[in-house]
């Protein structure tokens, strides 16, 4: 069992080193999941004396006012009999303290380094490990003493003891009314059933004559789940005379054994019993919490890995590595863009919707009323005849009417090109937002976006030319077979024996209009299929083939400084990646060690 406490001690030290102990992080902390014993008490409750009795050393700062201004994580390690006692601080990893007066001074100095000499408090803990043959394996968190006026201290204490994995060691003086005890009051607020609270009664030897603490120690008053433990601390006179802790423990045992009121309770009183009881209880709690800790670690590892993947890898240092990194990021973007077009990711279907719905609807909405009105037909046919009226059919008139009608198709053709262009730009934006590495490098994101849009603009211009060329080709050469298949009516088609005025009657002109409208509709049906082919060839196909080709060419000409500017990161993001990587290393290490302990049981 002892290796369980040692394991928790090790993980706690690592958590403190990495800052994995406060509420400032978005992810849950490993620190919060580890069972710990928090020592709570009001000022002058004897809290420091209890801790020193458990350790067997005089090492805590003393004085008036608020002395403890940072949490002190006190880890006790039992070593072989005859070995020399020593202490180590986490912030001074290679320095051993054998003089415990120097330990007291270092606690004070380290507190001042974090909080200054303005008597402020800090949630950043100090880690102190003490190795001695006179201690049990145990970890305690000494919290600042509660006081009526320091609200920030109460908030800090509450943040520790309200956690479900925290065991509360509530220190209360026996010579004061327990109903007003700061430690009991705050403990009951966060642990109303007393399931996590262990009560310690100090200064029993200083109670008024004729009074005792038997009812409390026997559990008949202020009952908790665990029996109250009474201790007798060194007096101020003993402290001033530097009375040996071992001697003080012996006198404490003698006090409980020789006092009639407490004789029957002597076997479970005193600081030595308190230390053994806390060690055993902490081991039991740790063992019961291991499955939950393993679950939290596994979940947090997955969250950390996901977050690190989202932040992306750090940039390379050399120019070649930077160029390779940029190329890889661009290829990733290009692949995502293609996946949108090919239907692997959503968005490409909108382009088909232009061809299948928007373009046909636009062609269908074309109005030829102006071109094929009776007045316009008469005007163009007569102008085309010139001084010599047509003999059989007004061919030049037909051509002019068809050309003027087909010109209106240019509008829907250009609209289709522009619609596809807008959708390609939209897919570029989507691909950029979905390329995680581009979020990491704002400069590169801007350049890739600009290069892609510039390429799309060139492709749109080429597509416009090609598409309008299709429309113009239909105007430049008419399909003769269409007219040859028309029924030939000599009377209505223009008999040369009729007068010039008969040739331009309404019936005759209406027949011309109907014929031209049929031809234009046939051309629209043809263009409905050829325009999408032109657009796909000039825009979609080219975007898939060469969207970033010009950008890649420019990249090859860039020097190291220019490449570096593309891979500039937000310093806060870089710092966060480093922090997350360290936390991930901590959690993986903790997972391996906890799993090893769990399997060995």
């Amino acid at each position: 069992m002892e290796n369980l406490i040692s394991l928790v001690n090790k993980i706690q030290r690592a958590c403190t080193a990495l800052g994995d102990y406060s509420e400032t992080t978005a992810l849950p902390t490993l620190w919060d999941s580890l069972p710990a014993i928090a020592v709570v008490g009001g000022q002058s409750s004897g809290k420091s004396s209890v801790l020193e009795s458990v350790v067997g050393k005089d090492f805590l700062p003393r004085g008036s006012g608020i002395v403890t201004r940072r949490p002190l994580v006190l880890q006790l390690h039992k070593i072989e009999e005859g070995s020399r006692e020593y202490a180590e601080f986490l912030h001074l990893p290679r320095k051993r303290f054998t003089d415990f007066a120097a330990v007291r001074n270092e606690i004070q100095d380290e507190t001042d380094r974090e909080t200054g000499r303005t008597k402020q408090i800090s949630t950043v803990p100090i880690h102190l490990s003490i190795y001695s043959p006179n201690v049990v394996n145990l970890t305690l968190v000494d919290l600042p003493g509660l006081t009526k006026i320091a609200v920030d201290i109460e908030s800090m204490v509450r943040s520790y003891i309200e956690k479900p994995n925290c065991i509360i060691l509530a220190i209360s003086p026996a010579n004061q009314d327990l109903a007003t005890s700061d430690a009991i009051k705050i403990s009951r607020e966060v642990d109303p059933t007393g399931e996590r609270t262990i009560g310690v009664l100090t200064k029993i030897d200083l109670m008024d004559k004729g009074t005792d603490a038997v009812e409390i120690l026997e559990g008949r008053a202020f009952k908790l789940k665990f029996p109250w433990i009474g201790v007798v601390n060194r007096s101020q006179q003993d402290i001033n005379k530097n009375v040996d802790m071992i001697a003080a423990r012996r006198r404490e045992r003698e006090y409980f054994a020789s006092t009639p009121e407490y004789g029957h309770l002597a076997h479970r009183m005193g600081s030595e019993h308190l230390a053994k009881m806390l060690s055993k209880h902490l081991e039991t709690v740790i063992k019961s919490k291991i499955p939950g800790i393993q679950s939290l670690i596994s979940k947090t590892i997955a969250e950390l890995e996901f977050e690190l993947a989202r932040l992306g890898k750090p940039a390379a240092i050399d120019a070649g590595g930077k160029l390779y990194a940029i190329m890889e990021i661009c290829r990733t973007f290009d692949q995502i863009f293609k996946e949108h077009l090919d239907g692997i990711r959503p968005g490409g279907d909108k382009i088909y919707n232009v061809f299948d719905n928007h373009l046909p609807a636009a062609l269908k909405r074309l109005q030829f009323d102006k071109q094929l009105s009776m007045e316009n037909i008469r005007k163009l046919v007569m102008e085309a005849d010139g001084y010599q009226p047509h003999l059989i059919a007004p061919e030049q008139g037909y051509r002019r009417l068809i050309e003027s009608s087909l010109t209106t198709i240019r509008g829907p053709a250009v609209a289709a090109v522009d619609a596809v262009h807008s959708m390609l730009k939209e897919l570029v934006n989507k691909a950029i937002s979905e390329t995680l590495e581009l979020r990491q490098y704002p400069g590169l994101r801007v350049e890739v976006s600009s290069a892609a849009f510039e390429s799309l603009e060139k492709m749109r211009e080429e597509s416009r030319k090609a598409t309008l060329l299709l429309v113009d080709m239909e105007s430049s050469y008419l399909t003769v077979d269409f007219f040859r298949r028309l029924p030939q009516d000599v009377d209505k088609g223009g008999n040369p024996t009729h007068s010039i005025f008969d040739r331009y009657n309404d019936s005759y002109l209406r027949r011309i209009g109907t014929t031209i409208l049929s031809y234009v509709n046939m051309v629209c049906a043809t263009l409905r299929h050829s325009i999408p082919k032109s657009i796909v060839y000039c825009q979609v196909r080219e975007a898939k083939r060469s969207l970033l080709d010009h950008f890649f060419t420019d990249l090859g000409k860039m020097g190291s400084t220019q490449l570096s500017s593309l891979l500039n990161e937000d310093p806060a993001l870089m710092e966060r990646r480093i922090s997350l990587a360290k936390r991930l290393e901590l959690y993986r290490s903790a997972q391996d060690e906890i799993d090893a302990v769990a399997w060995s049981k």
Side-chain angles (χ1 to χ4, degrees):
M1 274 292 202
E2 289 181 357
N3 58 349
L4 287 176
I5 293 180
S6 298
L7 173 62
V8 169
N9 287 349
K10 182 178 180 181
I11 296 173
Q12 280 183 331
R13 287 195 296 272
C15 287
T16 299
L18 293 177
D20 187 70
Y21 52 80
S22 65
E23 293 83 15
T24 57
T25 56
L27 298 171
T29 66
L30 182 54
W31 174 282
D32 291 342
S33 71
L34 299 174
I37 300 174
V39 185
V40 181
Q43 287 185 344
S44 303
S45 63
K47 182 166 62 71
S48 295
S49 295
V50 169
L51 289 173
E52 290 181 332
S53 295
V54 168
V55 175
K57 286 291 177 183
D58 192 351
F59 69 97
L60 290 173
R62 295 181 181 275
S64 59
I66 302 171
V67 178
T68 304
R69 291 182 285 123
R70 289 174 61 182
L72 175 65
V73 180
L74 180 60
Q75 297 181 343
L76 307 181
H77 306 266
K78 187 173 181 62
I79 57 178
E80 291 181 3
E81 290 292 335
S83 300
R84 189 176 185 183
E85 298 171 304
Y86 66 93
E88 289 181 342
F89 286 95
L90 182 65
H91 63 274
L92 298 171
R94 286 177 291 277
K95 185 174 182 179
R96 285 190 177 187
F97 291 77
T98 54
D99 179 1
F100 281 81
V103 172
R104 181 190 307 113
N105 293 335
E106 181 57 31
I107 292 174
Q108 187 63 59
D109 292 344
E110 175 61 14
T111 299
D112 289 342
R113 281 192 283 269
E114 178 68 28
T115 64
R117 297 183 178 274
T118 57
K119 301 302 180 185
Q120 294 178 334
I121 68 165
S122 169
T123 59
V124 179
I126 298 173
H127 258 267
L128 173 62
S129 295
I130 295 178
Y131 300 82
S132 170
N134 302 316
V135 299
V136 294
N137 289 304
L138 183 61
T139 300
L140 301 165
V141 182
D142 182 26
L143 298 173
L146 293 163
T147 173
K148 304 293 184 188
I149 58 173
V151 178
D152 48 354
I153 289 180
E154 182 177 333
S155 298
M156 184 208 292
V157 171
R158 193 181 297 276
S159 72
Y160 271 84
I161 66 175
E162 67 187 359
K163 295 180 175 71
N165 290 332
C166 180
I167 302 162
I168 306 167
L169 189 65
I171 311 291
S172 301
N175 60 347
Q176 294 180 14
D177 185 0
L178 208 56
T180 63
S181 166
D182 294 320
I184 292 299
K185 178 176 177 292
I186 196 170
S187 298
R188 285 190 164 174
E189 288 175 6
V190 298
D191 180 32
T193 61
E195 294 287 317
R196 298 187 288 113
T197 304
I198 297 173
V200 176
L201 212 54
T202 63
K203 304 185 181 182
I204 290 178
D205 56 325
L206 301 181
M207 294 180 73
D208 293 337
K209 268 192 173 184
T211 61
D212 59 54
V214 173
E215 283 195 358
I216 297 171
L217 295 176
E218 288 182 345
R220 288 182 280 125
F222 295 95
K223 189 172 182 178
L224 299 171
K225 179 182 177 181
F226 302 98
W228 282 80
I229 298 174
V231 297
V232 174
N233 299 328
R234 290 182 303 164
S235 65
Q236 189 59 49
Q237 186 178 1
D238 292 337
I239 295 171
N240 294 339
K241 291 181 178 180
N242 292 320
V243 171
D244 181 70
M245 282 291 185
I246 304 303
R249 284 181 180 178
R250 184 173 61 253
R251 281 167 47 181
E252 182 184 42
R253 288 195 301 270
E254 291 171 355
Y255 173 83
F256 284 111
S258 62
T259 303
E261 292 84 359
Y262 307 120
H264 65 296
L265 300 170
H267 65 286
R268 59 177 183 84
M269 295 292 120
S271 55
E272 286 182 289
H273 170 77
L274 173 63
K276 292 175 183 176
M277 179 267 193
L278 290 176
S279 179
K280 185 176 181 181
H281 182 61
L282 181 58
E283 289 168 352
T284 303
V285 172
I286 291 172
K287 188 174 183 181
S288 69
K289 298 292 184 180
I290 280 180
I293 295 172
Q294 288 174 309
S295 175
L296 172 72
I297 289 175
S298 297
K299 179 183 177 185
T300 308
I301 285 175
E303 291 174 344
L304 288 168
E305 289 175 338
F306 176 81
E307 183 68 5
L308 279 169
R310 190 184 66 81
L311 293 178
K313 297 178 182 178
I317 298 174
D318 61 293
K322 289 175 181 175
L323 178 60
Y324 177 79
I326 292 172
M327 294 289 285
E328 285 300 299
I329 293 170
C330 290
R331 288 190 187 103
T332 300
F333 156 76
D334 197 48
Q335 182 59 36
I336 293 173
F337 176 71
K338 289 175 182 176
E339 288 175 1
H340 278 292
L341 287 173
D342 294 338
I344 299 172
R345 296 173 186 248
D349 56 308
K350 292 182 179 179
I351 293 177
Y352 175 72
N353 192 46
V354 171
F355 302 149
D356 195 50
N357 291 310
H358 295 177
L359 177 61
L363 292 173
K364 195 172 183 179
R365 285 195 300 270
L366 288 175
Q367 299 294 324
F368 300 105
D369 296 348
K370 181 179 179 182
Q371 289 86 350
L372 301 180
S373 64
M374 299 293 285
E375 293 78 7
N376 196 52
I377 294 173
R378 180 179 286 107
K379 176 176 176 294
L380 287 181
V381 169
M382 290 181 70
E383 287 177 354
D385 281 349
Y387 74 90
Q388 173 68 58
H390 62 268
L391 300 178
I392 298 176
E395 182 175 325
Q396 291 303 318
Y398 268 100
R399 289 186 181 278
R400 291 187 184 183
L401 286 167
I402 289 172
E403 286 173 5
S404 65
S405 298
L406 291 181
T407 301
T408 61
I409 301 177
R410 294 170 66 93
V414 171
V417 170
D418 291 344
V420 171
H421 176 73
S422 296
M423 287 168 189
L424 288 172
K425 286 180 67 176
E426 183 182 328
L427 294 183
V428 164
N429 285 328
K430 278 188 177 182
I432 286 175
S433 67
E434 292 168 11
T435 305
L436 298 180
E437 295 85 351
L438 287 177
R439 298 183 196 173
Q440 185 177 346
Y441 304 113
L444 180 58
R445 182 174 64 241
V446 170
E447 290 299 320
V448 168
S449 176
S450 176
F453 288 160
E454 187 177 337
S455 292
L456 290 179
E457 189 61 42
K458 291 177 181 176
M459 293 169 193
R460 173 166 70 168
E461 290 306 312
E462 290 300 317
S463 184
R464 275 183 175 176
K465 291 177 184 177
T467 303
L468 291 177
L469 194 60
L470 288 176
V471 178
D472 294 343
M473 284 191 293
E474 292 291 346
S475 301
S476 63
Y477 186 80
L478 305 184
T479 305
V480 180
D481 286 349
F482 175 86
F483 296 97
R484 287 175 178 169
R485 288 196 298 268
L486 291 174
Q488 299 299 316
D489 187 332
V490 175
D491 293 334
K492 293 184 179 179
N495 191 314
T497 60
H498 289 183
S499 73
I500 182 65
F501 300 105
D502 291 334
R503 294 176 187 275
Y504 302 124
N505 63 35
D506 288 352
S507 175
Y508 177 61
L509 295 175
R510 195 174 295 111
R511 180 183 178 85
I512 293 175
T514 302
T515 301
I516 291 173
L517 183 60
S518 296
Y519 183 80
V520 169
N521 286 336
M522 182 198 74
V523 172
C524 285
T526 302
L527 290 175
R528 176 184 171 180
H529 299 292
S530 58
I531 287 175
K533 291 178 182 180
S534 173
I535 291 173
V536 168
Y537 184 85
C538 296
Q539 288 174 266
V540 180
R541 175 176 170 274
E542 278 304 301
K544 289 176 69 175
R545 287 178 64 246
S546 60
L547 185 64
L548 295 180
D549 279 7
H550 292 293
F551 181 64
F552 289 150
T553 302
D554 293 340
L555 273 180
K557 301 174 185 176
M558 289 184 183
S560 180
T561 304
Q562 290 174 295
L563 293 173
S564 297
S565 68
L566 294 179
L567 294 179
N568 277 343
E569 280 190 285
D570 182 351
L573 186 145
M574 296 170 65
E575 187 177 332
R576 176 160 174 75
R577 184 191 296 111
I578 293 170
S579 173
L580 289 174
K582 287 181 178 178
R583 287 190 70 196
L584 181 59
E585 184 181 354
L586 162 68
Y587 277 66
R588 283 174 174 164
S589 174
Q591 184 180 54
D592 292 341
E593 296 192 35
I594 290 176
D595 287 349
V597 171
W599 279 106
S600 66
K601 297 301 170 189

